[in-house]
């Protein structure tokens, strides 16, 4: 109830009567409470939100500095959540978030606080922890809960999460520092195997700082055109005819000079930067190939490496189609190289590869023989070429196993109508062994290193002359 009291006076300013008006303000209070709840909670999971969590963490930290209690902060991130959102839609994404919140809450004690930081990130404060073992056992319970299946669109699926842990007082004495360090630990779990937890240590701080510096430098590099492509010739090794080239990206850093892709591609994949970088690579390769066609270099096929992360991008197929249209390159002169890791998730990748092939371009499996694919199911895949990994070529002339493997690949490819190309050819002996086994295509330092645009053009001129 809300009451207002009013004095009503007579002409001599003597009190005459007191007026009290009372009104029922239940509705208003309810609205206020809802607004308060909305402001301090996450509406999807009903967990406290970031603001509330930070306030509670700050207050709790002041308390424990006096009581000398220990506590831990967990930073939790769902694995591959973006993929669920993109592939199954946002409603399913929301459902998964709600389930994840339940899995987390069920593993905690009543006194612990779990909050949603936004997106697929959660943060937890484990209060009054005895020792590290107690923290670890709760973390393991969270991971275990995530093994339970979730029903999305009538189908059962599971999701995993990664957890970074920072403990008070060892890993920081401000809320911000604890969270930052839990986040660094989380970053490393993500980088390694996911579906696991790490406890923060000093080393991680440096690693995560280093990563952030490189990531920013890469963003800047992309804006300032510091990336460029080299092209490695691909030949018909039976008659030494040039058939195409593989585009390989390099980063020309203003202070550090040329940085090879091995040093930055995986970070670009983790941070998602591979999507815009990959788009540039694809565009530039197609543009260059078209330019060389017009120069009369023959119908060279350009091979472009694409990472799984790019294929998972829902716009990828449209993007490729657009680039082919814009550059005017015939689709049959474009080949996308994917690594075997693509086949770790066959169900979602096969339709994408099929769509790509329906544009008229070719798909090649890079580094073949080093990863997931087995010769038994390769025939069911929508692909055109197997690219035998250089590690088998390296000792093909001395090692019976490598020789047998390459021979088996060539034989299998022949029976199911795939092309084979050998990479990493460095010696005359490699060429001879490969030729004997019936391999037709190859690339490697023996023929040429990857070349800058001008050097590649020179290479083409020379091949025509000789
Ligand atoms: P990859 O696609 O298997 O490329 C072949 C790598 O082997 C290249 O290294 C190439 O320079 C090197 N190579 C070529 N011939 C020989 C040889 O005879 N002997 C030896 N030892 N090596 C040879 P690079 O350019 O450092 O690229 C490394 C990897 O980085 C590539 O492996 C590919 O997975 C990735 N990469 C390169 N460019 C791109 C790109 O544009 N996009 C993506 N997503 N990944 C790329
Ligand atoms: Mg490649
Ligand atoms: Mg390769």
């Amino acid at each position: 109830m809300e009451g207002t009291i009013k004095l009503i006076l007579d002409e001599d300013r003597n009190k005459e009567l007191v007026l009290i008006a009372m009104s029922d303000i239940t509705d208003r209070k309810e609205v206020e409470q809802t607004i308060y709840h909305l402001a301090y909670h996450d509406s999807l999971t009903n967990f406290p939100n970031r603001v509330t969590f930070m306030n509670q963490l700050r207050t709790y930290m002041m308390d424990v500095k006096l009581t000398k209690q220990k506590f831990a902060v967990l930073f939790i991130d769902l694995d591959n959540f973006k993929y669920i959102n993109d592939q199954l839609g946002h409603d399913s994404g929301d459902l998964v978030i709600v389930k994840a919140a339940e899995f987390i809450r069920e593993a905690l004690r009543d006194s612990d606080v779990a909050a949603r930081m936004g997106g697929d990130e959660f943060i937890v404060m484990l209060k009054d922890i005895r020792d590290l073992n107690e923290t670890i056992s709760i973390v393991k319970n969270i991971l275990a809960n995530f093994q339970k299946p979730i029903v999305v669109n009538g189908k059962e699926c599971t999701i995993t999460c990664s957890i970074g842990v920072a403990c008070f007082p060892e890993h920081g004495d401000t809320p911000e520092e604890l969270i930052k360090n839990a986040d660094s630990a989380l970053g490393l779990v993500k980088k390694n195997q996911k579906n696991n937890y790490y406890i923060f240590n000093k080393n991680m701080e440096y690693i995560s700082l280093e990563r952030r510096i490189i990531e920013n430098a890469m963003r800047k590099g992309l804006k300032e055109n510091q990336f460029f492509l080299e092209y490695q010739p691909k030949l018909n090794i039976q008659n030494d005819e040039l058939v195409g080239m593989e585009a390989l990206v390099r980063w020309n850093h203003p202070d550090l000079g040329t940085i090879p892709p091995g040093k930055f591609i995986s970070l670009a994949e983790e941070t998602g930067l591979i999507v815009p970088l990959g788009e540039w690579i694809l565009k530039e390769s197609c543009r260059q190939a078209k330019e060389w066609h017009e120069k009369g270099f023959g119908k060279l096929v350009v091979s472009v490496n694409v990472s799984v992360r790019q294929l998972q991008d829902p716009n990828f197929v449209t993007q490729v189609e657009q680039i082919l249209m814009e550059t005017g390159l015939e689709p049959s002169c474009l080949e996308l190289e994917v690594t075997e890791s693509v086949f770790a998730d066959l169900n979602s990748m096969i339709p994408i590869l099929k769509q790509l092939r329906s544009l008229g371009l070719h798909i090649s499996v890079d580094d073949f023989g080093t990863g997931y694919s087995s010769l038994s199911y390769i025939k069911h895949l929508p692909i055109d070429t197997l690219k035998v990994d250089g590690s088998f070529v390296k000792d093909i002339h001395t090692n019976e196993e490598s020789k047998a493997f390459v021979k088996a690949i060539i034989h299998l490819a022949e029976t199911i109508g795939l092309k084979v190309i050998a990479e990493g050819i460095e010696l005359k002996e490699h060429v001879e062994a490969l030729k004997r086994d019936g391999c037709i295509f190859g690339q490697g330092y023996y023929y040429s290193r990857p070349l800058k645009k001008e050097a590649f053009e020179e290479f083409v001129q020379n091949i025509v002359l000789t």
Side-chain angles (χ1 to χ4, degrees):
M1 301 292 286
E2 183 184 64
T4 48
I5 304 172
K6 195 166 182 183
L7 283 179
I8 298 182
L9 307 174
D10 62 12
E11 285 161 5
D12 307 328
R13 303 192 67 75
N14 286 324
K15 247 188 287 182
E16 205 147 73
L17 69 116
V18 177
L19 187 69
I20 303 177
M22 305 285 284
S23 61
D24 180 351
I25 55 161
T26 310
D27 288 350
R28 196 177 90 203
K29 281 287 164 195
E30 273 174 7
V31 171
E32 275 173 16
Q33 246 168 29
T34 312
I35 293 174
Y36 178 87
H37 193 83
L38 282 177
Y40 293 101
H41 286 77
D42 165 53
S43 56
L44 188 61
T45 58
N46 226 0
F47 273 8
N49 63 16
R50 176 192 286 263
V51 177
T52 316
F53 183 85
M54 289 308 288
N55 286 338
Q56 293 196 22
L57 179 58
R58 222 162 268 135
T59 316
Y60 187 67
M61 200 175 230
M62 283 196 286
D63 292 346
V64 296
K65 278 186 178 164
L66 300 172
T67 60
K68 301 277 181 242
Q69 280 166 332
K70 291 166 179 263
F71 71 94
V73 169
L74 318 181
F75 214 131
I76 306 175
D77 189 286
L78 306 187
D79 299 329
N80 307 319
F81 178 71
K82 189 185 164 341
Y83 175 70
I84 291 186
N85 241 353
D86 291 345
Q87 297 286 313
L88 305 176
H90 286 266
D91 287 345
S92 305
D94 284 355
L95 196 90
V96 170
I97 296 280
V98 171
K99 271 292 173 189
E102 274 175 42
F103 291 157
I104 294 169
R105 189 65 252 182
E106 283 165 9
L108 304 180
R109 304 159 304 172
D110 287 343
S111 58
D112 299 330
V113 184
R116 183 171 174 215
M117 290 301 258
D120 60 343
E121 283 180 353
F122 295 89
I123 192 153
V124 170
M125 170 166 48
L126 300 179
K127 290 185 177 174
D128 191 13
I129 284 287
R130 256 176 291 123
D131 53 22
L132 192 57
N133 285 336
E134 191 177 8
T135 303
I136 291 175
S137 101
I138 296 174
V139 167
K140 284 188 171 161
N141 284 340
I142 296 177
L143 289 170
N145 281 348
F146 271 83
Q147 287 173 5
K148 296 182 208 164
I150 303 175
V151 180
V152 183
N153 290 343
K155 264 197 277 179
E156 273 197 359
C157 65
T158 52
I159 180 147
T160 58
C161 72
S162 302
I163 306 178
V165 183
C167 306
F168 178 85
E170 305 91 305
H171 303 146
D173 62 0
T174 65
E176 289 75 17
E177 199 180 351
L178 275 181
I179 289 181
K180 189 188 85 196
N181 290 342
D183 190 28
S184 295
L186 173 65
L188 271 199
V189 185
K190 286 276 181 198
K191 182 176 171 8
N192 295 342
Q193 64 276 59
K194 298 186 177 161
N195 188 20
N196 200 353
Y197 70 94
Y198 279 155
I199 293 161
F200 175 79
N201 67 44
K202 267 283 168 213
N203 255 344
M204 291 178 182
E205 199 167 27
Y206 299 123
I207 297 173
S208 88
L209 179 67
E210 188 182 69
R211 283 160 52 90
R212 243 171 291 159
I213 291 172
I214 302 177
E215 189 189 337
N216 286 337
M218 244 156 62
R219 274 182 210 290
K220 189 158 177 267
L222 195 56
K223 249 193 248 149
E224 299 182 356
N225 300 321
Q226 292 169 7
F227 291 93
F228 69 97
L229 298 178
E230 286 190 340
Y231 298 89
Q232 185 174 38
K234 289 183 161 186
L235 289 96
N236 177 329
I237 61 171
Q238 303 281 350
N239 62 9
D240 285 350
E241 187 192 346
L242 180 68
V243 293
M245 58 278 170
E246 175 173 10
L248 295 156
V249 67
R250 279 90 181 83
W251 178 9
N252 185 13
H253 189 275
D255 305 323
L256 305 174
T258 305
I259 306 174
K263 291 253 189 319
F264 62 85
I265 288 288
S266 68
L267 188 63
E269 284 170 348
E270 279 164 43
T271 56
L273 214 64
I274 192 70
V275 173
L277 177 62
E279 186 181 356
W280 176 82
I281 292 169
L282 195 62
K283 222 181 251 173
E284 178 57 18
S285 317
C286 291
R287 190 203 60 72
Q288 184 62 74
K290 178 70 184 174
E291 186 186 306
W292 282 334
H293 288 179
E294 287 177 343
K295 274 197 169 171
F297 286 5
K299 281 273 175 283
L300 301 178
V301 174
V302 66
S303 306
V304 182
N305 295 286
V306 290
S307 55
V308 180
R309 187 75 167 67
Q310 287 172 270
L311 292 173
Q312 284 169 343
D313 187 83
N315 299 320
F316 185 67
V317 179
T318 334
Q319 192 183 91
V320 174
E321 197 176 4
Q322 185 98 27
I323 289 175
L324 283 168
M325 229 162 52
E326 275 171 19
T327 57
L329 182 71
E330 285 142 75
S332 60
C333 290
L334 174 63
E335 179 178 66
L336 300 181
E337 291 192 5
V338 301
T339 55
E340 285 178 285
S341 58
V342 161
F343 305 121
D345 185 8
L346 275 180
N347 291 342
S348 63
M349 280 302 137
I350 284 188
I352 295 171
L353 296 180
K354 280 190 176 156
Q355 284 177 46
L356 286 167
R357 281 178 93 217
S358 73
L359 299 178
L361 53 81
H362 303 293
I363 303 286
S364 165
V365 183
D366 206 348
D367 306 337
F368 184 73
T370 57
Y372 292 84
S373 41
S374 85
L375 293 174
S376 62
Y377 74 69
I378 207 89
K379 58 171 166 287
H380 303 297
L381 300 177
I383 54 172
D384 304 274
T385 306
L386 299 179
K387 192 163 189 186
V388 181
D389 190 66
S391 58
F392 301 102
V393 175
K394 200 181 168 78
D395 56 4
I396 189 169
H397 57 307
T398 53
N399 181 329
E400 283 305 317
E401 243 170 80
S402 295
K403 188 175 164 58
F405 180 78
V406 174
K407 218 170 166 175
I409 294 179
I410 292 172
H411 180 75
L412 171 94
E414 237 165 44
T415 49
I416 59 179
L418 296 179
K419 272 188 7 186
V420 173
I421 178 162
E423 68 178 336
I425 302 177
E426 292 185 358
L427 306 171
K428 198 165 176 48
E429 286 87 337
H430 296 157
V431 180
E432 278 159 6
L434 287 163
K435 268 185 173 170
R436 261 198 309 270
D437 289 337
C439 182
I440 303 180
F441 301 103
Q443 73 184 86
Y445 296 166
Y446 175 76
Y447 295 101
S448 166
R449 295 202 163 239
L451 302 169
K452 293 207 172 77
K453 175 190 157 108
E454 296 74 19
F456 185 85
E457 294 183 351
E458 220 166 277
F459 180 88
V460 176
Q461 314 282 359
N462 285 339
I463 249 194
V464 173
L465 290 176
T466 51

